[in-house]
Amino acid sequence: MREDKVEIENSGFYRSTWLLLIIICWGTLLRLTEYLFNRSLWLDESMLAVNIVNKDFSQLLSPLDYGQGAPLGFLMLERLAVQVFGSSEYALRLFPLIFGIISLFLFYHLAKRTVTSNAVPIALGFFAISGPLIYYSSEVKQYSSDVAIAISLFSAAIYYESCKLTPWRVAGFGFLGAASIWFSHPSVFILGGIGMTLTSRCL
């Protein structure tokens, strides 16, 4: 009887694992399809792209033309893509695509820590097929990196809340927070909220 129960539980585990893998693969395929469609740059994209293509790494440290703004880390990655792969739409949208795909895996790990096991495929499924998330994974803007970094920060906050804080862990979270600011402007507000929450729970 016990062996039958273990076999049923293992069977459910493998079915769940396959379902989650299928959802992640489907979300990745949707993002790749949008990327390969290679739509023309729209106005805001093109104005940022002109800065990335026409300026070198040092010039990107100065205020951008056409009223554009983006995190310096994101700009450096974009310039690197142009330097290596040329100035095509594919090159300019490469790193947003990578961040969009990484977000699927990051969200899966966040969902595992925040919702019940039965709800994880549902949450991940909605995330994978979200139209805006798919679209912005192929746009020459930092929005997909904003999503990836926001998920990373929330996951880190949950981890640090559930374990004993040590100097090394505090330093690790500090490093993550400092690095995130270079790639995502909204991370400043997320870090502020996380800091206030963690501080209030320690009081």
Side-chain angles (χ1 to χ4, degrees), residues 35-104:
Y35 174 77
L36 294 174
F37 180 70
N38 197 30
R39 66 182 184 275
S40 299
L41 300 178
W42 72 286
L43 179 61
D44 214 25
E45 276 185 295
S46 62
M47 289 191 293
L48 183 59
V50 168
N51 283 279
I52 294 168
V53 172
N54 292 340
K55 295 177 181 288
D56 59 27
F57 289 103
S58 61
Q59 290 173 325
L60 288 172
L61 299 175
S62 303
L64 302 180
D65 299 332
Y66 312 113
Q68 293 297 299
L72 290 177
F74 176 80
L75 290 174
M76 296 298 110
L77 289 177
E78 287 292 285
R79 181 60 200 174
L80 177 64
V82 169
Q83 198 92 350
V84 175
F85 301 110
S87 58
S88 68
E89 285 89 344
Y90 285 129
L92 288 163
R93 289 172 172 152
L94 177 61
F95 278 107
L97 173 68
I98 292 173
F99 278 115
I101 294 174
I102 289 175
S103 295
L104 289 165

